[in-house]
Amino acid sequence: MELIIPASYDPKLSVKETEAAIRYIRETFQDEFGQEMNLSRMSAPMFVEQSTGLNDNLNGVETPVHFTMKDMPDQEIEVVHSLAKWKRAALKRYGFGMHEGLYTNMNAIRKDEDLDNIHSIYVDQWDWEKVIAKDERNLDTLKATVRQIFKVLKHMEHEVWYKFPQAVHHLPDDIHFVTTQELEDRWPDKTPKEREDAITKELGCVFLMQIGGPLKSGKRHDGRAPDYDDWQLNGDILFWYEPLQRALEVSSMGIRVDEDALRRQLKAAGAEDRMKYPFHQQLLAGELPYTIGGGIGQSRVCMLLLGKAHVGEVQASVWPQDMLDQCAAAGIQIL
């Protein structure tokens, strides 16, 4: 557990005012985001059958919360980590057409998360996915989509300023694009997180591209599951976050694997056994659409726009008592 306590922290809003702002941001953002991206809101599961292979295994070491149910005692049920693969299958199942997509309110439990100011075991995000053509699986498509998301975030800043002028945290005017290899080349002696902090402090907001594969050093910038993002066509939206003096990730996204990228990345990850799952078999058989998708953290966006010091100020979760005590002493209002 690593907790940052900003000096002379002022939450600016009471708990009741914060709750009103959270509701406003969540409701307004999803409407504007869906309209900008041509996405329809769809219902989504909180848990899936383990045998489908639909759950996201994140970095490959986190274990999902799991259980069995009375009427299906032979099936292992897993609480989702995210809906990265479920969404792609849903686009096929529900008959979405070219350049149409969906978004969901995704709620997940990541019990192995290391808790700090921005990490909770409770994950709430807008998970989204959109159909694209095979020849659109390129950097131009990726960058154009990132700019659309940034445009919505900037518009939300102005919307929040109008409603809660005393609380809004102002965002930079532009987003910059940089690769993980460029960061390693520039700062070979820094850790990946230190590189993220350095580049976002310098540029304000970046889309950090190409996460998952090994860099020239042989090390990875960060882990990424091998069976949804194409590691050459993905990335994270990161803001320099002044209240905590660190980078704040608000979205992880990417163009999804095609048949070739899936085989290549499963082999690199030593995870070729996943080809037995229905989802992977469908993908390898060319039965699923080519897509781009990702997740946008709902609590992270609220935290960013309201200048909050701890994600627990904008979501209700479970925290260690010593963290709660330190936050209370600093005026950080944990829900």
Side-chain angles (χ1 to χ4, degrees):
M1 184 185 79
E2 181 182 351
L3 182 64
I4 300 170
I5 301 293
S8 304
Y9 177 64
D10 179 7
K12 298 179 182 176
L13 298 176
S14 68
V15 170
K16 288 182 66 176
E17 289 170 333
T18 297
E19 291 281 16
I22 292 168
R23 177 181 176 182
Y24 178 75
I25 292 169
R26 288 174 183 258
E27 293 180 350
T28 306
F29 182 92
Q30 67 178 358
D31 289 342
E32 295 192 3
F33 176 64
Q35 184 174 3
E36 174 69 25
M37 300 281 287
N38 193 29
L39 307 175
S40 300
R41 190 193 182 285
M42 303 294 289
S43 298
M46 187 174 180
F47 28 79
V48 295
E49 296 171 47
Q50 190 275 336
S51 60
T52 63
L54 286 174
N55 205 356
D56 177 4
N57 82 322
L58 303 176
N59 292 319
V61 296
E62 299 91 344
T63 56
V65 175
H66 59 94
F67 58 93
T68 57
M69 52 190 284
K70 184 179 68 174
D71 289 337
M72 297 171 60
D74 297 328
Q75 289 288 341
E76 191 78 13
I77 310 298
E78 295 181 346
V79 177
V80 296
H81 278 147
S82 84
L83 296 170
K85 296 193 280 291
W86 177 89
K87 294 175 297 180
R88 189 170 182 179
L91 290 175
K92 167 74 172 179
R93 185 167 67 253
Y94 298 146
F96 280 76
M98 184 62 62
H99 299 144
E100 296 178 341
L102 61 83
Y103 76 90
T104 73
N105 276 318
M106 192 281 292
N107 296 291
I109 299 173
R110 299 180 182 174
K111 67 180 183 63
D112 296 323
E113 196 71 74
D114 293 323
L115 303 182
D116 58 22
N117 295 67
I118 64 174
H119 291 95
S120 168
I121 64 167
Y122 171 55
V123 180
D124 53 347
Q125 63 185 32
W126 293 286
D127 247 334
W128 65 275
E129 198 84 8
K130 185 175 182 178
V131 179
I132 60 173
K134 186 174 177 62
D135 63 7
E136 291 177 312
R137 297 186 68 261
N138 54 52
L139 281 176
D140 288 341
T141 300
L142 181 63
K143 290 182 177 181
T145 306
V146 169
R147 290 190 177 100
Q148 283 182 287
I149 295 172
F150 182 79
K151 173 185 173 182
V152 178
L153 288 168
K154 277 295 292 180
H155 190 251
M156 279 303 305
E157 174 200 339
H158 298 296
E159 297 273 13
V160 174
W161 178 84
Y162 180 76
K163 295 278 288 186
F164 305 95
Q166 75 278 30
V168 70
H169 176 70
H170 293 288
L171 308 181
D173 292 328
D174 200 6
I175 187 167
H176 304 264
F177 295 86
V178 63
T179 68
T180 52
Q181 188 58 61
E182 288 172 332
L183 292 193
E184 184 184 66
D185 291 344
R186 184 171 176 186
W187 292 297
D189 297 327
K190 291 183 182 293
T191 68
K193 293 305 179 187
E194 288 171 344
R195 294 170 195 156
E196 291 180 2
D197 290 344
I199 196 65
T200 53
K201 185 173 185 179
E202 177 181 311
L203 298 178
C205 180
V206 301
F207 183 64
L208 181 59
M209 300 184 291
Q210 300 177 0
I211 300 173
L215 303 172
K216 291 177 183 177
S217 64
K219 299 178 181 178
R220 301 175 189 272
H221 179 85
D222 198 1
R224 201 57 52 96
D227 48 5
Y228 57 95
D229 281 351
D230 186 321
W231 291 343
Q232 295 301 309
L233 294 168
N234 70 351
D236 293 343
I237 297 176
L238 305 169
F239 285 87
W240 173 248
Y241 194 52
E242 195 71 28
L244 297 180
Q245 291 290 297
R246 59 164 295 174
L248 178 67
E249 175 195 328
V250 299
S251 177
S252 177
M253 58 174 287
I255 290 173
R256 306 311 198 185
V257 290
D258 61 6
E259 301 88 337
D260 294 336
L262 178 64
R263 291 189 185 94
R264 181 175 65 251
Q265 292 180 184
L266 286 177
K267 183 177 181 180
E272 291 173 286
D273 62 308
R274 294 189 203 174
M275 291 186 187
K276 67 186 178 186
Y277 291 124
F279 171 84
H280 301 73
Q281 291 175 6
Q282 280 187 295
L283 202 160
L284 291 170
E287 297 173 359
L288 295 178
Y290 298 106
T291 64
I292 183 171
I296 301 173
Q298 295 181 11
S299 291
R300 292 277 183 94
V301 169
C302 291
M303 186 179 177
L304 174 71
L305 293 174
L306 298 175
K308 295 298 187 179
H310 196 288
V311 70
E313 294 179 274
V314 293
Q315 65 157 235
S317 185
V318 176
W319 307 97
Q321 188 60 49
D322 58 342
M323 179 180 282
L324 293 173
D325 292 343
Q326 291 181 66
C327 286
I332 299 173
Q333 302 165 328
I334 302 297
L335 301 181

